[in-house]
Amino acid sequence: MSPETAAEAAAALEAAHGARAPGEIVAAAIDRFGPGAIAVVSSFGADSAVLLHMIAEADRSVPVIFLDTGKHFGETLDYRDLLLADLGLRNLRVVAPLPERLEAQDPAGDLHAVDANACCAIRKVEPMARGVEPFEAWFTGRKRFQASTRTALPVFEAVGHRIRINPLAHWTTADQADYMRAHALRENPLVAYGYLSIGCF
């Protein structure tokens, strides 16, 4: 779809579904876009199990895009595989940085210590763009409380010619914790060590 069409579709979806419960938003979005046109992006971080559980309740065939930066904790990679098995999600798609870009710009693997933004551009931004490219829409776990720039975060937003869906936009940390407990969801083991946000090591 064109950027204009995406913006119109996002606005219509926001009006129709933006105030619904997250699980209902997930089901409505999967129904709207259909097989092959929607995915979920997950970091398998501290609170990733909540959204993935909702996805699994709606459709276990939805592709799960995981960005392997090459800098993840081993615990996160193990957790990814265990959680997917728990939930019965069977369509993992791993995207990684382009080897030629790593060789040209970060051959020693230490660019993060010199220029964190450049490191993220190679290891996160470009691969993620590739990861979502085949889809019309994708789910994220972004929430309004996470940053001052997200206080007005909509559930459905147009990003170029695609639609990004944030089913948990209005949830709090307490909402997440309650859901985790209610469904006895496995948590990233690094949470027990005090990590509240889990990304590259």
Side-chain angles (χ1 to χ4, degrees):
M1 66 182 85
S2 69
E4 293 77 19
T5 303
E8 291 170 2
L13 287 165
E14 183 72 16
H17 306 293
R20 298 176 71 181
E24 294 175 347
I25 292 166
V26 166
I30 291 172
D31 183 61
R32 160 65 175 78
F33 290 98
I38 192 166
V40 58
V41 171
S42 183
S43 66
F44 290 87
D47 57 9
S48 295
V50 170
L51 179 57
L52 290 173
H53 181 266
M54 292 176 182
I55 300 288
E57 290 285 285
D59 184 348
R60 290 179 177 154
S61 71
V62 170
V64 180
I65 301 170
F66 175 69
L67 175 55
D68 190 348
T69 64
K71 299 289 185 180
H72 281 293
F73 290 89
E75 290 91 339
T76 295
L77 299 178
D78 292 341
Y79 174 65
R80 176 196 67 192
D81 297 338
L82 291 168
L83 183 61
L84 289 175
D86 287 349
L87 300 177
L89 290 164
R90 55 184 184 269
N91 194 353
L92 176 67
R93 300 190 185 186
V94 179
V95 291
L98 295 170
E100 58 269 28
R101 288 197 65 182
L102 290 177
E103 180 61 31
Q105 297 175 262
D106 192 15
D110 58 2
L111 182 59
H112 63 278
V114 180
D115 188 338
N117 288 335
C119 183
C120 284
I122 297 169
R123 294 181 181 274
K124 294 182 179 179
V125 178
E126 188 282 328
M128 185 55 63
R130 253 188 300 119
V132 300
E133 195 277 331
F135 304 98
E136 291 180 36
W138 78 98
F139 294 107
T140 81
R142 299 191 316 152
K143 302 162 197 74
R144 292 172 186 159
F145 76 82
Q146 292 173 322
S148 60
T149 55
R150 294 183 182 175
T151 55
L153 180 71
V155 172
F156 295 89
E157 57 182 334
V159 180
H161 57 281
R162 295 181 183 81
I163 295 175
R164 182 164 54 198
I165 307 165
N166 312 299
L168 306 176
H170 64 277
W171 266 26
T172 66
T173 52
D175 292 326
Q176 293 169 181
D178 289 346
Y179 191 96
M180 291 281 291
R181 283 191 296 270
H183 297 279
L185 298 179
R186 185 189 298 270
E187 104 181 339
N188 189 308
L190 293 170
V191 172
Y193 293 98
Y195 287 86
L196 301 179
S197 179
I198 300 166
C200 294
F201 64 77

